[in-house]
PDB file of all heavy atoms in Angstrom:
ATOM      1  N   TYR A 172      -7.124  62.938-143.443  1.00  0.00           N
ATOM      2  CA  TYR A 172      -7.135  63.885-144.567  1.00  0.00           C
ATOM      3  C   TYR A 172      -8.525  64.450-144.841  1.00  0.00           C
ATOM      4  O   TYR A 172      -8.657  65.575-145.344  1.00  0.00           O
ATOM      5  CB  TYR A 172      -6.505  63.263-145.821  1.00  0.00           C
ATOM      6  CG  TYR A 172      -7.312  62.196-146.532  1.00  0.00           C
ATOM      7  CD1 TYR A 172      -8.383  62.534-147.358  1.00  0.00           C
ATOM      8  CD2 TYR A 172      -6.994  60.844-146.408  1.00  0.00           C
ATOM      9  CE1 TYR A 172      -9.116  61.554-148.026  1.00  0.00           C
ATOM     10  CE2 TYR A 172      -7.723  59.864-147.063  1.00  0.00           C
ATOM     11  CZ  TYR A 172      -8.781  60.221-147.869  1.00  0.00           C
ATOM     12  OH  TYR A 172      -9.508  59.265-148.524  1.00  0.00           O
ATOM     13  N   ALA A 173      -9.596  63.699-144.491  1.00  0.00           N
ATOM     14  CA  ALA A 173     -10.947  64.190-144.759  1.00  0.00           C
ATOM     15  C   ALA A 173     -11.333  65.313-143.795  1.00  0.00           C
ATOM     16  O   ALA A 173     -12.087  66.215-144.147  1.00  0.00           O
ATOM     17  CB  ALA A 173     -11.950  63.042-144.651  1.00  0.00           C
ATOM     18  N   ASP A 174     -10.830  65.253-142.560  1.00  0.00           N
ATOM     19  CA  ASP A 174     -11.169  66.267-141.560  1.00  0.00           C
ATOM     20  C   ASP A 174     -10.129  67.385-141.484  1.00  0.00           C
ATOM     21  O   ASP A 174     -10.214  68.250-140.608  1.00  0.00           O
ATOM     22  CB  ASP A 174     -11.293  65.617-140.165  1.00  0.00           C
ATOM     23  CG  ASP A 174     -12.536  64.750-140.055  1.00  0.00           C
ATOM     24  OD1 ASP A 174     -13.569  65.123-140.641  1.00  0.00           O
ATOM     25  OD2 ASP A 174     -12.460  63.694-139.396  1.00  0.00           O
ATOM     26  N   TRP A 175      -9.136  67.334-142.364  1.00  0.00           N
ATOM     27  CA  TRP A 175      -7.999  68.269-142.286  1.00  0.00           C
ATOM     28  C   TRP A 175      -8.478  69.721-142.238  1.00  0.00           C
ATOM     29  O   TRP A 175      -8.034  70.508-141.415  1.00  0.00           O
ATOM     30  CB  TRP A 175      -7.079  68.017-143.475  1.00  0.00           C
ATOM     31  CG  TRP A 175      -5.712  68.614-143.392  1.00  0.00           C
ATOM     32  CD1 TRP A 175      -5.166  69.511-144.274  1.00  0.00           C
ATOM     33  CD2 TRP A 175      -4.686  68.348-142.420  1.00  0.00           C
ATOM     34  NE1 TRP A 175      -3.879  69.814-143.906  1.00  0.00           N
ATOM     35  CE2 TRP A 175      -3.564  69.105-142.771  1.00  0.00           C
ATOM     36  CE3 TRP A 175      -4.610  67.534-141.285  1.00  0.00           C
ATOM     37  CZ2 TRP A 175      -2.369  69.089-142.033  1.00  0.00           C
ATOM     38  CZ3 TRP A 175      -3.425  67.518-140.536  1.00  0.00           C
ATOM     39  CH2 TRP A 175      -2.339  68.290-140.920  1.00  0.00           C
ATOM     40  N   GLU A 176      -9.397  70.070-143.114  1.00  0.00           N
ATOM     41  CA  GLU A 176      -9.901  71.449-143.136  1.00  0.00           C
ATOM     42  C   GLU A 176     -11.332  71.532-142.623  1.00  0.00           C
ATOM     43  O   GLU A 176     -11.982  72.555-142.794  1.00  0.00           O
ATOM     44  CB  GLU A 176      -9.835  72.014-144.565  1.00  0.00           C
ATOM     45  CG  GLU A 176      -8.427  72.134-145.149  1.00  0.00           C
ATOM     46  CD  GLU A 176      -7.553  73.152-144.408  1.00  0.00           C
ATOM     47  OE1 GLU A 176      -8.080  73.925-143.598  1.00  0.00           O
ATOM     48  OE2 GLU A 176      -6.335  73.137-144.646  1.00  0.00           O
ATOM     49  N   ASP A 177     -11.853  70.450-142.029  1.00  0.00           N
ATOM     50  CA  ASP A 177     -13.241  70.460-141.545  1.00  0.00           C
ATOM     51  C   ASP A 177     -13.410  71.522-140.443  1.00  0.00           C
ATOM     52  O   ASP A 177     -12.612  71.585-139.508  1.00  0.00           O
ATOM     53  CB  ASP A 177     -13.594  69.066-140.977  1.00  0.00           C
ATOM     54  CG  ASP A 177     -15.030  68.995-140.498  1.00  0.00           C
ATOM     55  OD1 ASP A 177     -15.894  68.654-141.318  1.00  0.00           O
ATOM     56  OD2 ASP A 177     -15.282  69.309-139.314  1.00  0.00           O
ATOM     57  N   GLY A 178     -14.453  72.330-140.575  1.00  0.00           N
ATOM     58  CA  GLY A 178     -14.644  73.446-139.654  1.00  0.00           C
ATOM     59  C   GLY A 178     -14.910  73.019-138.232  1.00  0.00           C
ATOM     60  O   GLY A 178     -14.588  73.747-137.291  1.00  0.00           O
ATOM     61  N   SER A 179     -15.476  71.819-138.033  1.00  0.00           N
ATOM     62  CA  SER A 179     -15.783  71.369-136.686  1.00  0.00           C
ATOM     63  C   SER A 179     -14.604  70.598-136.078  1.00  0.00           C
ATOM     64  O   SER A 179     -14.178  70.860-134.957  1.00  0.00           O
ATOM     65  CB  SER A 179     -17.040  70.500-136.761  1.00  0.00           C
ATOM     66  OG  SER A 179     -17.162  69.736-135.627  1.00  0.00           O
ATOM     67  N   VAL A 180     -14.051  69.667-136.825  1.00  0.00           N
ATOM     68  CA  VAL A 180     -12.949  68.842-136.292  1.00  0.00           C
ATOM     69  C   VAL A 180     -11.625  69.628-136.272  1.00  0.00           C
ATOM     70  O   VAL A 180     -10.819  69.502-135.344  1.00  0.00           O
ATOM     71  CB  VAL A 180     -12.797  67.546-137.132  1.00  0.00           C
ATOM     72  CG1 VAL A 180     -11.663  66.681-136.589  1.00  0.00           C
ATOM     73  CG2 VAL A 180     -14.101  66.760-137.121  1.00  0.00           C
ATOM     74  N   GLN A 181     -11.378  70.413-137.303  1.00  0.00           N
ATOM     75  CA  GLN A 181     -10.183  71.262-137.381  1.00  0.00           C
ATOM     76  C   GLN A 181      -8.879  70.470-137.219  1.00  0.00           C
ATOM     77  O   GLN A 181      -7.982  70.865-136.459  1.00  0.00           O
ATOM     78  CB  GLN A 181     -10.241  72.380-136.339  1.00  0.00           C
ATOM     79  CG  GLN A 181     -11.460  73.276-136.478  1.00  0.00           C
ATOM     80  CD  GLN A 181     -11.438  74.484-135.541  1.00  0.00           C
ATOM     81  OE1 GLN A 181     -10.511  74.668-134.753  1.00  0.00           O
ATOM     82  NE2 GLN A 181     -12.465  75.305-135.626  1.00  0.00           N
ATOM     83  N   SER A 182      -8.762  69.357-137.938  1.00  0.00           N
ATOM     84  CA  SER A 182      -7.554  68.524-137.814  1.00  0.00           C
ATOM     85  C   SER A 182      -6.271  69.335-138.038  1.00  0.00           C
ATOM     86  O   SER A 182      -5.329  69.253-137.254  1.00  0.00           O
ATOM     87  CB  SER A 182      -7.561  67.393-138.846  1.00  0.00           C
ATOM     88  OG  SER A 182      -8.388  66.344-138.465  1.00  0.00           O
ATOM     89  N   ARG A 183      -6.227  70.103-139.116  1.00  0.00           N
ATOM     90  CA  ARG A 183      -4.978  70.818-139.423  1.00  0.00           C
ATOM     91  C   ARG A 183      -4.660  71.846-138.339  1.00  0.00           C
ATOM     92  O   ARG A 183      -3.537  71.905-137.833  1.00  0.00           O
ATOM     93  CB  ARG A 183      -5.073  71.524-140.784  1.00  0.00           C
ATOM     94  CG  ARG A 183      -3.821  72.356-141.110  1.00  0.00           C
ATOM     95  CD  ARG A 183      -3.932  73.111-142.422  1.00  0.00           C
ATOM     96  NE  ARG A 183      -5.040  74.035-142.471  1.00  0.00           N
ATOM     97  CZ  ARG A 183      -5.080  75.237-141.876  1.00  0.00           C
ATOM     98  NH1 ARG A 183      -4.038  75.665-141.169  1.00  0.00           N
ATOM     99  NH2 ARG A 183      -6.149  76.018-141.975  1.00  0.00           N
TER     100      ARG A 183
END
Side-chain angles (χ1 to χ4, degrees):
Y172 72 78
D174 289 324
W175 195 239
E176 297 295 348
D177 182 89
S179 162
V180 180
Q181 302 187 359
S182 281
R183 177 183 59 77

